[in-house]
Structures are given as structure tokens and as C-alpha cells.
Amino acid sequence: MKVLVTGGGGFLGGAIVRRLKSRGDDVVSFTRSAYPWLREIGVVEARGDLSNRTTLEAAMHGCQAVIHVAAKAGVWGRKSDYHSTNVLGTKNVIDACQATGVQTLVYTSTPSVVHTGRDILGGNESLPYSPHYDAWYPATKAEGERA
């Protein structure tokens, strides 16, 4: 199987890339900068930004699945930066999947989208979104998740 991983050079994306390679998949990593270790393990690097749907579509060419891990994380920064990556970037990934015929999209989110200030014990996908967010990261991840 050929799989595109957005954010494949990061912590979670890197773990996913290594796992896919270990099971014999062809992997393309879509990142903004080069990660030499990716090439060393046989991953094709596609560089670009989530805001550019054309480069996303080119990177997805021939892929059967996309794992969307890339995100603007953290608690400080401008709302526009979080929105651009976590909302508009996610919508571009979805649109590029549809345009290229990719049938499987895995979106990684965060428990922060359902966090209400209390411990989350035994939580699953049925938990409602938080009514309030203290930072742009969970707010924009929730919006991207809804897309």
C-alpha cells in the first residue's frame, strides 16, 4: 500500500512512518522542510505547505491512504496561524483526497477537543466537544475535526 503521512518528520508522524515502513508499505512524507533520516529509511519526501492544495495533490498521486498528522500545536501564537494549518490545511487535505481518489483518510486530533477541565477516564469518540477552549490549538483542532 502507498500511504502519504502529513507531518511525517515529527514525533507522532515519524513513529507512524517507521511503523508503515516496517510492515512494507510505500510511504510519502509531506513536510515543510527536509528530514534526512526519512530518505535513509526509504521514505519519499514531498515538501510543501498544507495551504497549497496543488502540492498536496501531487504528493498524494498514487496513494491509497492518507494519515493527516501535521498540525500547528502549542498554546501561544496567532489565531490565524492555528486556523491556517489546523482548519484550512485540514480542509485542503480532505479536498485533495477527494480530487485524487484517495479513499482512506485518517485524521489525528487531540483529547483537548473534548477536555472540560476534568480528567478524561474511559473517554471515546462519543464525548461532546468542549463548550470553551483556553487556547487556539484545541479550538482549531475541533474545527478541523468537524470538517
Side-chain angles (χ1 to χ4, degrees), residues 45-68:
E45 287 190 273
R47 289 206 295 243
D49 192 279
L50 295 175
S51 66
N52 187 326
R53 199 175 119 193
T54 302
T55 57
L56 275 167
E57 288 180 18
M60 285 181 197
H61 181 75
C63 290
Q64 288 79 41
V66 170
I67 301 175
H68 179 37

Side-chain angles (χ1 to χ4, degrees), residues 9 23 25 50 68 76 82 115:
R23 72 178 204 179
D25 291 313
L50 295 175
H68 179 37
W76 295 283
Y82 286 94
H115 189 258

Side-chain angles (χ1 to χ4, degrees), residues 81-102:
D81 293 336
Y82 286 94
H83 189 266
S84 176
T85 300
N86 299 340
V87 179
L88 299 179
T90 296
K91 289 179 180 179
N92 280 340
V93 169
I94 294 166
D95 291 344
C97 284
Q98 291 173 336
T100 59
V102 172

Side-chain angles (χ1 to χ4, degrees), residues 56-136:
L56 275 167
E57 288 180 18
M60 285 181 197
H61 181 75
C63 290
Q64 288 79 41
V66 170
I67 301 175
H68 179 37
V69 181
K72 164 80 171 136
V75 294
W76 295 283
R78 297 180 312 187
K79 178 183 181 182
S80 60
D81 293 336
Y82 286 94
H83 189 266
S84 176
T85 300
N86 299 340
V87 179
L88 299 179
T90 296
K91 289 179 180 179
N92 280 340
V93 169
I94 294 166
D95 291 344
C97 284
Q98 291 173 336
T100 59
V102 172
Q103 302 264 327
T104 302
L105 170 61
V106 177
Y107 173 75
T108 59
S109 192
T110 171
S112 300
V113 301
V114 297
H115 189 258
T116 59
R118 296 192 168 105
D119 291 341
I120 300 172
L121 300 173
N124 61 34
E125 292 81 6
S126 68
L127 288 173
Y129 289 108
S130 175
H132 170 75
Y133 299 107
D134 292 327
W136 295 123

